[in-house]
């Protein structure tokens, strides 16, 4: 493992891949590790992982309610909460939730965050499908 001393963390690359030359799992580190963890957190429903039932989100329960400003606020607060608990390496600065009128069944979640250790600001747009593809 070449990245033993990374200060933002090191983890398995997803999807999991093996390096046959070194006979080990491919690893990622630093900002790439954070980005993949954010994507994984947004892709996981709470309760989906038997050994870690608190990991994930509850957005899928909210999307069947009437979409109004109150619901959007609750969704944003929920995202702030799950990132505070499950990804302490970042400070979630802003959450934008966009409903695509021309494309039914898709909500775009745009996250603006600061990586605490490096003071680096970045963003990520995650498509959340109301009907799974």
């Amino acid at each position: 493992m070449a990245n033993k001393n990374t200060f933002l963390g090191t983890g398995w690359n997803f999807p999991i891949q093996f390096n046959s030359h070194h006979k080990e799992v491919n690893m990622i580190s630093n900002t790439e590790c954070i980005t993949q963890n954010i994507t994984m957190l947004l892709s996981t429903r709470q309760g989906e992982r038997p050994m870690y039932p608190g990991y994930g989100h509850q957005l899928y329960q909210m999307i069947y309610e009437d979409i109004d400003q109150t619901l959007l606020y609750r969704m944003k607060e929920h995202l702030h909460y799950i990132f505070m608990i499950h990804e302490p390496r970042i400070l979630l600065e802003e959450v934008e939730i966009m409903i695509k009128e021309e494309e039914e069944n898709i909500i775009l979640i745009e996250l603006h965050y600061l990586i605490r250790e490096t003071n680096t600001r970045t963003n990520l747009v995650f498509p959340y499908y109301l009907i799974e593809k």
Side-chain angles (χ1 to χ4, degrees):
M1 238 189 297
N3 298 326
K4 286 184 181 177
N5 296 323
T6 61
F7 58 94
L8 290 176
T10 299
W12 287 17
N13 185 25
F14 285 97
I16 298 170
Q17 300 170 342
F18 294 94
N19 183 333
S20 60
H21 179 61
H22 295 289
K23 297 182 179 162
E24 61 185 25
V25 176
N26 286 342
M27 305 294 277
I28 57 168
S29 58
N30 296 326
T31 57
E32 189 178 359
C33 185
I34 291 173
T35 303
Q36 279 198 5
N37 193 42
I38 290 170
T39 303
M40 191 177 317
L41 183 58
L42 291 172
S43 301
T44 305
R45 294 178 178 196
Q46 202 168 48
E48 187 174 319
R49 293 188 175 186
M51 300 304 284
Y52 196 6
Y55 186 81
H57 63 81
Q58 296 178 351
L59 294 178
Y60 64 96
Q61 295 173 340
M62 298 178 191
I63 59 173
Y64 295 106
E65 298 177 25
D66 290 331
I67 297 177
D68 58 7
Q69 291 303 315
T70 305
L71 179 65
L72 293 177
Y73 177 79
R74 284 180 38 224
M75 291 172 78
K76 289 177 185 180
E77 288 300 306
H78 179 65
L79 289 168
H80 277 281
Y81 176 74
I82 65 169
F83 281 102
M84 181 179 66
I85 299 297
H86 299 293
E87 188 49 87
R89 297 175 291 184
I90 68 167
L91 173 63
L92 193 56
E93 294 181 326
E94 184 180 355
V95 177
E96 294 181 47
I97 299 176
M98 296 159 279
I99 297 148
K100 304 279 279 183
E101 297 294 332
E102 63 276 359
E103 293 181 46
E104 288 186 21
N105 304 320
I106 188 169
I107 294 174
L108 295 178
I109 299 171
E110 185 171 357
L111 306 172
H112 298 268
Y113 58 94
L114 173 77
I115 299 173
R116 295 177 194 263
E117 203 63 34
T118 61
N119 206 24
T120 305
R121 284 187 166 75
T122 188
N123 70 333
L124 179 121
V125 177
F126 184 83
Y128 190 77
Y129 296 97
L130 304 180
I131 297 175
E132 294 182 24
K133 289 187 171 192

